[in-house]
Amino acid sequence: MYKIISGKEVSLAVKERVAEKVREFKAEGIEPCLAVILVGEDPASKVYVNNKKKACEFCGIRSLEYVLPEETTQDELVELIEKLNGDSSVNGILCQLPLPKHIDEKTVLNLIKPEKDVDAFHPENVGHIMIGDFNFLPCTPAGIMEMLKSENISLDSKHCVIIGRSNIVGKPMAMLMLKENATVTVCHSHTANLKEIVKQADVIVAAVGRPRFVTADMVKDGAIIIDVGINRGEDGKLCGDVDFDACCEKSSYITPVPGGVGPMTIATLMQNTITAAEIQNKG
Ligand code: NDP
């Protein structure tokens, strides 16, 4: 018998904690504020930005939204970020990815002041995550850790297999799992014998970006399955990187898509905004 870990429920608890903290800030005359920048017309990005705005409203965080046209130049974007970096009423800055092709993502992300970098993408914050001494949590991996914690799942001595090595999910996920004394294997598109490796996992984290990539024959009985993927299936519906219907019976815990890791990523972003407000106002 498996259990579904609901990101909707766990994220609600996180956002309620954040909302309480925001009330305390406001009582001290501090209004936490997150600036979100969206460049272009990517429909998925628009949905994410809207969800972030709703989460800010729920938590009482002031949100500033900058929706810029696709043809925005890199210089114009740089100018906006520099303005927000210098605005002491703005605590967090988030630039929604992907950016249009004519804008260099690395240049833009490196420009956001590390103490306002609530996505934790700046090399300085990435370095802190590497050495396990950080202010800003990597949003998606930290959201996953919170889901595991909500079920009192310890990673100590477990074999965690992460499929995907992106800077946003796979790599920071490995760091957080190592910190919790897991043995971690990170797989990618050049991994040989992927199926055999995944089959050894006590915990599978699927962050591949391919619909239903993880199939039942890759799952050991009783494995914990975390599905990070957000894909459109052939039927046009949202689906994850895990074939949920086929894999759930073999798992002990599994996360759904939608309603799994996605809401946790946003909840961690809210948490990071509060951390930013704390660093900037209280040192
Ligand atoms: P990337 O495209 O940056 O990375 C995908 C990773 O999967 C790469 O490391 C790639 O390997 C690996 N990969 C691709 N094909 C295979 C294969 N056949 N076998 C093994 N590994 C493979 O994606 P992200 O990490 O940004 O996102 C992954 C998924 O998670 C997407 O669906 C995305 O939408 C979703 N996502 C969801 C979030 C949430 O909040 N729920 C947040 C962020 C992302 P290689 O490095 O060799 O190319």
Side-chain angles (χ1 to χ4, degrees):
M1 191 55 196
Y2 66 94
K3 181 167 183 196
I4 294 177
I5 313 179
S6 164
K8 267 192 194 162
E9 280 172 27
V10 184
S11 68
L12 186 62
V14 175
K15 286 188 292 181
E16 276 167 353
R17 282 205 307 265
V18 171
E20 178 56 33
K21 196 86 188 141
V22 171
R23 284 192 283 276
E24 286 170 26
F25 270 118
K26 286 186 175 168
E28 296 171 39
I30 299 164
E31 188 181 26
C33 171
L34 173 67
V36 179
I37 306 168
L38 172 64
V39 188
E41 296 294 324
D42 181 55
S45 293
K46 281 186 182 173
V47 173
Y48 299 147
V49 165
N50 197 35
N51 288 342
K52 287 166 188 173
K53 189 174 154 191
K54 280 192 205 153
C56 282
E57 278 166 18
F58 180 94
C59 296
I61 293 171
R62 184 163 73 102
S63 72
L64 300 175
E65 216 181 292
Y66 295 87
V67 181
L68 309 178
E70 181 84 23
E71 56 275 14
T72 302
T73 64
Q74 182 161 315
D75 286 348
E76 285 167 331
L77 185 56
V78 164
E79 197 181 323
L80 172 61
I81 292 174
E82 280 173 344
K83 189 182 105 189
L84 296 169
N85 274 341
D87 183 341
S88 61
S89 72
V90 173
N91 303 115
I93 305 170
L94 180 154
C95 193
Q96 184 66 46
L97 302 181
L99 288 167
K101 290 205 168 28
H102 64 277
I103 298 180
D104 181 42
E105 218 163 84
K106 201 166 137 192
T107 304
V108 169
L109 296 181
N110 291 1
L111 194 72
I112 297 175
K113 260 190 184 175
E115 63 265 36
K116 296 194 178 192
D117 171 40
V118 285
D119 257 337
F121 291 164
H122 191 284
E124 193 176 310
N125 288 324
V126 174
H128 282 295
I129 293 164
M130 254 328 254
I131 55 175
D133 149 37
F134 43 81
N135 287 319
F136 294 120
L137 303 161
C139 292
T140 302
I144 291 169
M145 297 305 277
E146 189 71 30
M147 288 174 108
L148 295 170
K149 200 170 119 197
S150 74
E151 294 293 339
N152 294 317
I153 295 167
S154 161
L155 294 185
D156 201 308
S157 80
K158 292 215 167 65
H159 184 198
C160 299
V161 174
I162 302 164
I163 319 172
R165 57 172 164 180
S166 70
N167 291 335
I168 297 174
V169 186
K171 285 182 198 161
M173 185 78 255
M175 291 305 122
L176 297 198
M177 289 182 141
L178 273 178
K179 196 164 184 264
E180 293 304 317
N181 299 324
T183 301
V184 181
T185 304
V186 182
C187 301
H188 46 79
S189 67
H190 295 253
T191 299
N193 306 321
L194 181 106
K195 188 168 145 184
E196 286 70 24
I197 294 170
V198 178
K199 196 138 196 196
Q200 294 168 26
D202 301 308
V203 181
I204 302 168
V205 178
V208 197
R210 295 185 174 221
R212 304 182 186 95
F213 181 85
V214 175
T215 47
D217 57 341
M218 295 163 86
V219 177
K220 176 171 89 173
D221 278 335
I224 296 164
I225 306 178
I226 307 292
D227 191 351
V228 183
I230 303 177
N231 311 294
R232 290 263 166 218
E234 281 162 14
D235 53 6
K237 288 190 184 150
L238 276 189
C239 69
D241 287 347
V242 174
D243 185 347
F244 184 97
D245 293 338
C247 294
C248 61
E249 290 295 350
K250 291 186 89 176
S251 72
S252 52
Y253 293 90
I254 187 164
T255 66
V257 177
V261 175
M264 294 305 302
T265 299
I266 295 179
T268 310
L269 175 70
M270 299 298 109
Q271 171 74 58
N272 282 349
T273 304
I274 291 302
T275 302
E278 204 152 272
I279 295 169
Q280 287 153 42
N281 287 287
K282 300 177 182 176

